[in-house]
Amino acid sequence: MVGALLTASLGSCNPFTSEFRLLQTGRLVVWHPFEGREGDAFEKILSKYMQLYPDRRIVVERFTEEELIVNFQKQARSGLGPTLVIANENPTLSQLIEHNLIKSLSAGEVNARIFSPDTLGEVRLGDSYYGIPFSSVTQVLCYNRQRVAKAPETLTELSDEVRAGKKLGIVSDFVSTLWGVGAFGNGIFNDRGQILLAQSGWAAWLDWLKGARAHPNVILNSDIAKLQDSFADEQLDYYVCKSWEIPILRDQLGRKNLGISLLPGNEDRHATPVTNTRAIAYNRAVAEREFKLGLELGQYLTNVEQQIQFAIATESQIPSNKNAKIDPRLSPLEAILLEQVKFSKPIPLEFIFTSDNNIQQALDTGNLYYNRVLEGEISPQQAAEELSEQLRALLKR
């Protein structure tokens, strides 16, 4: 755990106890998992909030995702813990919901009108919301500007580039490769969070991947670190990267050499990468007035100005507020991320949060069939049909 205090403790009271926080009306405790540049940018926003509202005091703590879950469960059951937490949809938010540790919110408390339906789907179960969407990450096409004059816009153009000698790296697993499904169909989830692989375009996309894998200039590998190193060492011209990798790749390759573009689609169909959203979730154990102050902070964190500032400062996080606009002339990288997320497909919380909590088994099953197709053990269409049936039975959806 990395701890950081944005305000000095007052007196000798423990700043995390309910008694202390009831005495200090404007005192909030915030936990988050952001690291490095992202963590600094987030805490800078909190510092600015306290400058605007001098009667508010915020204690902030940084945790890894694993530490955050363990410590939240331990403290919240004793009536302690944070006012609010920045929780990754999977696994943090889903586990905190499962253990009944966070509050359900109304549409008004979430201010639902400022978010897209897809974004809200990442925090909604039935008619209840379990957090306020804060920021998300997705996938884009990274390329080396020294070796690529213009990024391809379609999979056909990308294939032509590979045949001409350009080298491509793709993170190879079931979820990481879902970005290509939209180029051949309507995506794998319907409006109710049900998975429909057989009708989704997944089979046609796997057929394309299988053909690409046979080319010596295409590397499919599940090891992100190895692909990052290969890209940094200029062994790859293109790399399908996740937006949280962008600061890392810029440091490795050099700011001027890293290019970012939309993932290639297929004529009139766009690539549909998965998004992963972090939400502002609220501790059930805190007093009502502390919760209300926390809601005010949540509204501040998701207003247009703070969303844009956080996105630009991090160069990796995408605003959740649909009204946030970024001028491509001033911040071309963030403008591309914001454009890509328009076509991205979040994994609905309804899908992740199942009654039997079998999400990991579902992903493992997806990986199994994905690899069987690439190894030629089963046809893409047969894999889509069999996997759809297995996932429906496993997840009871």
Side-chain angles (χ1 to χ4, degrees):
M1 179 187 72
V2 179
L5 196 64
L6 289 185
T7 182
S9 297
L10 303 178
S12 59
C13 297
N14 183 338
F16 294 100
T17 63
S18 298
E19 292 83 358
F20 180 88
R21 279 145 64 172
L22 284 173
L23 290 172
Q24 305 298 324
T25 305
R27 194 174 181 83
L28 303 172
V29 180
V30 176
W31 289 4
H32 72 85
F34 295 119
E35 300 177 354
R37 181 185 302 180
E38 294 175 349
D40 294 341
F42 180 69
E43 291 178 10
K44 184 176 181 180
I45 292 175
L46 296 180
S47 294
K48 185 167 66 173
Y49 178 78
M50 287 194 295
Q51 292 172 5
L52 291 172
Y53 301 96
D55 61 326
R56 309 289 166 80
R57 294 292 181 268
I58 298 175
V59 176
V60 61
E61 294 276 347
R62 296 190 193 188
F63 292 89
T64 65
E65 293 283 352
E66 295 79 10
E67 291 172 336
L68 194 151
I69 294 172
V70 171
N71 283 282
F72 196 110
Q73 290 178 358
K74 187 182 299 182
Q75 293 202 28
R77 288 195 179 103
S78 301
L80 306 174
T83 312
L84 60 90
V85 60
I86 306 298
N88 203 339
E89 180 191 11
N90 182 40
T92 309
L93 184 62
S94 56
Q95 288 196 24
L96 296 179
I97 295 170
E98 180 187 357
H99 293 285
N100 197 29
L101 296 175
I102 58 177
K103 287 179 177 286
S104 64
L105 308 174
S106 67
E109 290 171 326
V110 171
N111 197 11
R113 60 185 175 77
I114 68 172
F115 306 108
S116 71
D118 279 349
T119 300
L120 290 172
E122 295 184 85
V123 297
R124 184 178 59 229
L125 288 174
D127 295 327
S128 296
Y129 299 88
Y130 286 88
I132 302 173
F134 177 58
S135 68
S136 63
V137 295
T138 193
Q139 292 166 286
V140 288
L141 184 64
C142 291
Y143 63 94
N144 188 329
R145 289 184 180 276
Q146 297 298 312
R147 301 164 65 91
V148 174
K150 182 179 181 295
E153 296 180 4
T154 67
L155 290 172
T156 300
E157 291 176 2
L158 182 60
S159 296
D160 291 342
E161 288 281 278
V162 168
R163 284 193 289 269
K166 294 293 190 291
K167 295 184 178 180
L168 166 68
I170 299 175
V171 180
S172 183
D173 61 57
F174 175 61
V175 173
S176 296
T177 55
L178 289 177
W179 63 269
V181 173
F184 298 92
N186 297 320
I188 69 169
F189 294 105
N190 65 14
D191 293 338
R192 292 172 291 173
Q194 294 174 316
I195 192 165
L196 302 172
L197 283 177
Q199 302 85 20
S200 68
W202 187 65
W205 165 236
L206 281 192
D207 198 44
W208 188 94
L209 275 180
K210 186 179 177 182
R213 183 176 183 246
H215 199 286
N217 288 336
V218 178
I219 298 175
L220 270 67
N221 195 307
S222 60
D223 192 326
I224 292 178
K226 285 185 178 180
L227 289 172
Q228 285 180 357
D229 290 341
S230 295
F231 186 66
D233 294 339
E234 300 189 352
Q235 298 174 32
L236 296 174
D237 303 291
Y238 298 105
Y239 170 42
V240 178
C241 66
K242 299 183 180 181
S243 60
W244 62 260
E245 297 179 79
I246 291 173
I248 299 171
L249 297 174
R250 276 198 158 177
D251 290 343
Q252 292 176 330
L253 197 65
R255 177 172 290 270
K256 292 182 179 180
N257 296 332
L258 179 64
I260 305 294
S261 71
L262 300 180
L263 288 168
N266 199 10
E267 297 180 355
D268 60 340
R269 291 184 176 273
H270 294 280
T272 52
V274 170
T275 57
N276 193 322
T277 291
R278 283 190 167 125
I280 305 165
Y282 293 88
N283 187 348
R284 287 177 59 92
V286 301
E288 183 65 15
R289 61 182 176 181
E290 183 176 345
F291 166 62
K292 293 299 184 184
L293 289 176
L295 278 179
E296 290 181 11
L297 176 59
Q299 292 168 2
Y300 176 80
L301 291 172
T302 53
N303 72 36
V304 168
E305 181 63 25
Q306 305 317 312
Q307 292 271 287
I308 292 174
Q309 290 302 315
F310 186 62
I312 292 174
T314 60
E315 298 184 319
S316 62
Q317 296 290 317
I318 304 167
S320 60
N321 187 325
K322 66 182 181 182
N323 300 314
K325 310 296 181 186
I326 295 178
D327 190 332
R329 297 169 299 180
L330 300 178
S331 302
L333 185 153
E334 280 300 329
I336 289 171
L337 293 181
L338 204 56
E339 183 69 15
Q340 183 69 82
V341 84
K342 292 179 183 177
F343 311 110
S344 300
K345 298 296 182 182
I347 298 179
L349 188 59
E350 291 276 6
F351 175 75
I352 292 174
F353 190 81
T354 63
S355 58
D356 292 331
N357 198 29
N358 286 329
I359 182 63
Q360 188 56 55
Q361 190 176 349
L363 296 179
D364 290 343
T365 304
N367 281 325
L368 173 64
Y369 273 89
Y370 168 83
N371 287 314
R372 287 184 66 191
V373 170
L374 294 188
E375 295 300 329
E377 296 180 10
I378 188 172
S379 73
Q381 188 59 40
Q382 184 181 351
E385 292 170 358
E386 290 186 12
L387 181 55
S388 289
E389 289 299 318
Q390 290 206 26
L391 291 180
R392 276 197 292 269
L394 182 65
L395 301 171
K396 297 181 180 180
R397 303 191 61 75

